[in-house]
Amino acid sequence: MWRTRSGAFMTRSQRTAAFIASRLASVMLTIAGATLLLFLMVRLVPGDFTSVMLGPRATPVLRAQITHDMGLDRSMVEQLWLFASRAATGNFGEDVVSHRPILDIVLDVVPNTLALAFSALALAMVVGIPIGVIAALKPGSWLDSGLALLSISFITTPTLVVSVILFLIFAIGLHWLPVAGAGNPGDIADRLQHLVLPSVALALGWVGYISRLVRAALLDTLAELHVRTLRAYGVSEYRIVGLYALKLALVPVVSILGIGLGDLIGSSVVVEIIFARPGIGSLIFNSIAQRNYPVVQACIVFIVAFYIVANLVVDMINAGLDPRIAAGRG
C-alpha cells in the first residue's frame, strides 16, 4: 500500500494504472501540440504555398489541384481538422514528384533509420555502461581521469566530424567497410557491414553521455545507506555493484533512452547524407531541397510519434525498475 499526496492509500496496481493514465494524458497533449505546429509550419510559408512548393511546375491547373487536395481552399478551422484527421489515419496524400502515396515513401525508408538508431543506441550502451562502471569503481584515480577525458572527447566531437573521419579512414583509405548505401535487401551480412560505420559515427557521442551518467548515478547509489549496510555485512563490492547498485544506477540511463532515440533519429540526417544511406534523415533533406513540404510533414509526424512512444515505453520501464517513480516519489 502507498499513500498519495492527498493522504489516501493505493495498491500497487492502482498506483501503476494512475501512472499510466497520467502519461497517456501527457502523450495526447504532446500529439495535439505537435499537430498544431505542423499545421502552422505550412501555413506560415511566405507567399503562395502551392507556387513555392511546385516551383517551375506551378501551372494554374496544378496549383488548383494541390490547393483542393490539401484543403487550402477551406477555412483555417476546417484545414486544421482535415490535416489532423488525415494524419491520424496516415493519409498524407500523393507525392507531386513521384505520384506515389506519401505514406509509402516514408515507410520505405523507416526500417533503415530505425536499424541505424537502435544499433547506435545499443552500441552506446554496450560501450558506455562498462566505462561508467569502471570509472565509478576507481573514483579519483588516473583511470577515472583518463576515462573522463575520453568520454568528454566523445561528447564534444561533432557527428559530422566523426562521420567524415570514419568514412575517409575505413571506407576510402583501408577499404575495410562499404563506402555508401544500406546494402542488398536480401543479404544480412552485407547490410550489417553497411551499418557499422554509420552506427559508430552516430553512437560515439552517446557513449560519452551514458558513461558519465552511469558513473555519477552509481557513485550516488554506492553512497546510500542500504549499500553501506551491505558492506557492513561483508558483501563484496563487485557483488554489491552487480546485484544491487547497478540496477538503481541504470534508472537515469533508461530515462534518457527515449530522448536518445529521438536525438539519434534527428542526427541521422548528417550520417545518412555522408554515407549516402536511405532513411528518414536523407528523405527530409531531399524533400526540403525539392520544397516537397507534404513529405517533410509526414516524416516529422513519424519522428514525433516515435519519440512519444519511445518515451512512454521508457516511463513504463522506469516504473518497473524503481516503484517510487510510479508512486510519485522517484
Side-chain angles (χ1 to χ4, degrees), residues 153-168:
S153 299
F154 288 163
I155 295 172
T156 55
T157 305
T159 304
L160 173 62
V161 175
V162 176
S163 300
V164 172
I165 291 174
L166 293 177
F167 182 82
L168 293 176

Side-chain angles (χ1 to χ4, degrees), residues 2 26 35 47 57 97-99 102 138 162-163 293 317:
W2 294 74
S26 299
T35 301
R57 300 166 301 187
V97 178
S98 63
H99 301 291
I102 293 177
K138 304 290 184 180
V162 176
S163 300
Y293 298 117
I317 296 175

Side-chain angles (χ1 to χ4, degrees), residues 58-131:
T59 63
V61 175
L62 193 53
R63 278 204 306 267
Q65 180 184 344
I66 297 299
T67 299
H68 176 72
D69 291 344
M70 297 188 65
L72 300 176
D73 52 351
R74 306 186 185 187
S75 68
M76 291 293 288
V77 175
E78 289 178 315
Q79 289 182 45
L80 177 58
W81 169 253
L82 184 65
F83 174 74
S85 59
R86 286 179 174 177
T89 58
N91 179 15
F92 298 98
E94 184 181 89
D95 180 27
V96 297
V97 178
S98 63
H99 301 291
R100 293 179 57 203
I102 293 177
L103 182 61
D104 291 348
I105 296 174
V106 175
L107 292 180
D108 283 347
V109 298
V110 161
N112 291 329
T113 297
L114 291 182
L116 177 59
F118 278 106
S119 60
L121 187 63
L123 179 62
M125 293 182 65
V126 168
V127 178
I129 291 175
I131 291 177

Side-chain angles (χ1 to χ4, degrees), residues 244-265:
Y244 305 103
L246 186 57
K247 177 183 176 181
L248 293 176
L250 288 179
V251 171
V253 176
V254 174
S255 299
I256 67 168
L257 291 185
I259 299 174
L261 282 172
D263 178 77
L264 289 172
I265 290 179

